[in-house]
Structure formats: C-alpha cells, structure tokens
C-alpha cells in the first residue's frame, strides 16, 4: 500500500514539475513582452536587444 501512495505522490510531483517546465520554455520562446499577461495595457516601451539590431558594430 505504501508503494502505491509513494508512486502517486511521485507522479504528481514529477507531472507538475514537467508541466511547469514546459510552460516556462514556451513562454521564454515567445519573448518578454509577448508572454506577459498585461501586454495589452503595458506602458513600458519595448527595447530592442543588441543581438537583433541590423547595424552590428562587431561584425566583419
């Protein structure tokens, strides 16, 4: 009986951890402002990252 209880607890914890990790990865792929819940009414200006600028000074 204790094996069944331990198995159920393990599956619940592992399942929730997997769900949370997948949700985090999907949000991080979307981007900072797009994944925010208040992106419709946000007053923060969107700043472009130096990685995605077309006039990169370090390129040869």
């Amino acid at each position: 009986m204790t094996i069944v209880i331990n198995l159920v607890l393990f599956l619940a914890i592992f399942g929730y951890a997997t769900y949370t990790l997948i949700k985090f990865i999907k949000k991080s792929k979307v981007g900072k402002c797009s994944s925010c819940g208040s992106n419709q009414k946000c007053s923060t200006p969107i700043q472009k990252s130096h990685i995605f600028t077309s006039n990169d000074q370090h390129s040869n």
Side-chain angles (χ1 to χ4, degrees):
M1 183 66 174
T2 59
I3 293 175
V4 174
I5 294 171
N6 285 338
L7 184 62
V8 169
L9 286 174
F10 171 76
L11 289 175
I13 293 169
F14 187 75
Y16 181 72
T18 304
Y19 166 75
T20 306
L21 186 63
I22 290 172
K23 192 168 93 170
F24 173 76
I25 291 171
K26 284 183 179 181
K27 276 189 165 187
S28 67
K29 284 183 180 180
V30 173
K32 181 179 178 183
C33 288
S34 298
S35 65
C36 179
S38 64
N39 64 353
Q40 299 294 329
K41 300 174 184 166
C42 183
S43 61
T44 304
I46 298 174
Q47 298 176 354
K48 293 184 178 180
S49 173
H50 70 279
I51 297 172
F52 299 113
T53 57
S54 61
N55 56 356
D56 191 8
Q57 298 174 356
H58 300 294
S59 62
N60 293 330

